[in-house]
Amino acid sequence: MPTAESYLKPEVIRQIKRLDLRARFIVQGFLHGLHASPFHGFSVEFSEHRKYTPGDDPKDIDWLIYAKTDKYYVKKFEAETNITGYLVMDLSRSMGYTYQQELTKFDYSICLAAALSYLMIHQQDPVGLLTFDEKIRHSLAPKSRRKQLGDVLSLLAKLKPEGKTDVAASLDQIAAMLRHASLVMVFSDLLAEPEPILQSLRRLRHGGHDVILFHVLDEAEVRFPFDGMVELEEPETRQRVQLDAAGFRRDYLAELERFRETYRRECSQTRIDYVEIDTSMQFDKALTEYLVSRRARH
């Protein structure tokens, strides 16, 4: 079983630090809720400001920024700038799958979670961890201390994705648990009926939470690289089926595209960020490209 240290190997730490440097000015806006921000990270100095609106105290206007932009901005209070993040990890058996990549979907999600923890803690934003299969299994309270990154990884390293899953029920449980508007980062392969999951995601958004859905699939699940007669196993029921890969490939890829398009469309309508990832992507590159695209969209 991998240890926490294996996720903090020197090369992983270097990747995370490189990500931090590359994405820092974008991340400022990213973690402070770009849905509402007029700046989305184009300048670090603006990350602590928002547009002046009637009712704000004129004493809070930043006249230096007015001199530069000819627009009125007020400095945010600390309560407005800090956001609490929750990493939400799927422990279902299917997350332990890999065809030929070094990392399973679960390992890959841990690397992404490590990067996001690092970035949030780096700017004193508290981050916590929730894990689920058919229901919430572990809960690590959000903290912004440096030690929290090690605590998050230590807990994840002890876990094995081996249960059946109920994504929708688990997200409903989370929606009922969270008392304050938070940034909820979900890592799952979403191998279940989409509509109940989408309903639960909408419930989270309705509760005032900012939601990022990382849809993590194995490279083989995305490309279907099989030939000839193959035997495939359904990970949770262990049911096996034999089929001709060549004859099945086109239908499979078309169905996968329909599945992803459902999430793209529905998440876009609900202003949930839906991030398609497969395990062949360099995790720091995947996250940086996502941050850049989020910045462009908002």
Side-chain angles (χ1 to χ4, degrees):
M1 187 185 291
T3 63
E5 287 70 32
S6 71
Y7 292 112
L8 289 176
K9 292 181 290 205
E11 60 267 32
V12 173
I13 291 171
R14 277 198 297 276
Q15 278 186 297
I16 293 171
K17 283 188 173 166
R18 202 162 59 241
L19 166 64
D20 182 36
L21 288 170
R22 193 185 309 156
R24 186 179 297 164
F25 79 103
I26 300 165
V27 166
Q28 292 288 330
F30 162 66
L31 292 176
H32 291 150
L34 285 181
H35 291 304
S37 168
F39 304 115
H40 36 261
F42 85 89
S43 168
V44 171
E45 69 182 302
F46 288 131
S47 67
E48 299 295 313
H49 293 76
R50 61 172 168 75
K51 271 187 175 169
Y52 176 84
T53 53
D56 287 333
D57 190 334
K59 292 202 293 286
D60 293 330
I61 292 171
D62 191 319
W63 296 105
L64 279 175
I65 290 181
Y66 174 76
K68 286 182 190 174
T69 65
D70 218 24
K71 293 190 173 77
Y72 296 112
Y73 293 104
V74 296
K75 194 157 177 57
K76 287 181 180 178
F77 296 105
E78 191 173 339
E80 292 179 90
T81 59
N82 280 97
I83 187 162
T84 297
Y86 286 89
L87 304 161
V88 179
M89 304 289 288
D90 184 346
L91 293 179
S92 60
R93 186 180 290 124
S94 61
M95 288 291 283
Y97 173 75
T98 182
Y99 176 57
Q100 58 185 17
Q101 289 294 327
E102 184 187 347
L103 298 177
T104 67
K105 291 181 278 187
F106 188 67
D107 291 333
Y108 190 95
S109 297
I110 288 176
C111 286
L112 271 182
L116 286 161
S117 299
Y118 182 92
L119 290 169
M120 289 195 74
I121 290 164
H122 185 72
Q123 57 178 45
Q124 281 100 45
D125 282 315
V127 62
L129 172 67
L130 298 165
T131 71
F132 71 90
D133 43 40
E134 292 180 293
K135 62 181 183 181
I136 301 301
R137 292 293 173 193
H138 304 86
S139 175
L140 190 63
K143 293 191 178 76
S144 54
R145 298 196 309 254
R146 289 269 166 184
K147 181 177 174 291
Q148 181 77 345
L149 178 61
D151 291 345
V152 166
L153 290 173
S154 293
L155 175 53
L156 288 171
K158 289 175 194 155
L159 303 177
K160 204 169 174 194
E162 55 189 5
K164 292 186 176 181
T165 191
D166 190 336
V167 184
S170 300
L171 292 178
D172 282 344
Q173 226 184 318
I174 290 166
M177 280 170 61
L178 300 185
R179 293 280 170 264
H180 306 290
S182 304
L183 175 64
V184 180
M185 297 162 274
V186 182
F187 301 83
S188 175
D189 53 15
L190 301 174
L191 296 185
E193 190 60 42
E195 190 45 46
I197 297 173
L198 286 162
Q199 270 190 316
S200 299
L201 289 165
R202 290 183 202 111
R203 195 165 289 127
L204 273 169
R205 279 296 287 139
H206 187 67
H209 305 292
D210 207 352
V211 180
I212 308 170
L213 180 59
F214 290 99
H215 189 186
V216 184
L217 293 173
D218 186 72
E219 179 190 23
E221 291 172 322
V222 172
R223 293 178 179 77
F224 203 79
F226 309 106
D227 283 309
M229 290 300 293
V230 294
E231 185 174 77
L232 301 178
E233 180 182 278
E234 205 287 323
E236 292 190 18
T237 64
R238 300 285 174 93
Q239 196 175 345
R240 292 171 180 243
V241 60
Q242 281 202 327
L243 49 84
D244 172 32
F248 184 68
R249 181 177 292 108
R250 181 185 292 177
D251 288 347
Y252 171 83
L253 293 174
E255 186 57 38
L256 175 67
E257 178 54 26
R258 274 195 294 274
F259 182 65
R260 284 172 143 185
E261 180 53 34
T262 299
Y263 275 100
R264 280 184 216 123
R265 183 183 63 251
E266 297 298 322
C267 288
S268 173
Q269 286 176 4
T270 328
R271 293 173 78 195
I272 287 168
D273 286 318
Y274 172 62
V275 189
E276 297 170 58
I277 288 174
D278 77 69
T279 52
S280 69
M281 297 165 74
Q282 262 188 295
F283 83 87
D284 63 333
K285 183 168 178 282
L287 185 56
T288 304
E289 285 182 359
Y290 160 61
L291 291 172
V292 172
S293 74
R294 179 179 168 108
R295 179 186 171 215
R297 284 199 313 278
H298 290 271

